[in-house]
Amino acid sequence: MLLSELRGQKGLTQRELARDLHLGVSTIAMYESGKRLPSLKVALEIAKYFNVSVEDLSFKALISDRDTDGGDTNETACNL
């Protein structure tokens, strides 16, 4: 599941999740937008927080497809 989905199911804001995990709000936002992926340590903490296995976590990842027109960016889910 995507982090944003897990957070939404618990009715948490990004600020509340960041506080509970001792992370910055911008860090949570970057994980959810795919601009950054968590370290394995942080991913394990997120999994524990939501009571899911780390294998069940997915994070958006922005993948750039370079083509002759300069490239497009596509979103995909990245499982750890």
Side-chain angles (χ1 to χ4, degrees):
M1 294 193 85
L2 290 171
L3 179 58
S4 58
E5 293 172 344
L6 289 168
R7 183 176 58 77
Q9 286 178 358
K10 281 196 135 186
L12 296 169
T13 65
Q14 288 181 340
R15 182 175 304 283
E16 290 167 329
L17 180 60
R19 179 200 62 219
D20 291 349
L21 294 175
H22 306 286
L23 298 170
V25 176
S26 63
T27 301
I28 298 297
M30 286 188 282
Y31 292 162
E32 290 186 2
S33 68
K35 292 181 181 172
R36 185 172 173 189
L37 290 174
S39 67
L40 181 56
K41 178 183 175 189
V42 172
L44 288 167
E45 291 172 6
I46 292 169
K48 183 177 179 181
Y49 181 85
F50 287 108
N51 197 31
V52 297
S53 71
V54 73
E55 292 85 4
D56 290 336
L57 287 177
S58 296
F59 298 90
K60 283 185 183 176
L62 295 177
I63 298 175
S64 178
D65 294 328
R66 301 280 179 214
D67 60 18
T68 57
D69 295 330
D72 294 326
T73 301
N74 296 317
E75 281 190 8
T76 187
C78 174
N79 290 340
L80 294 180

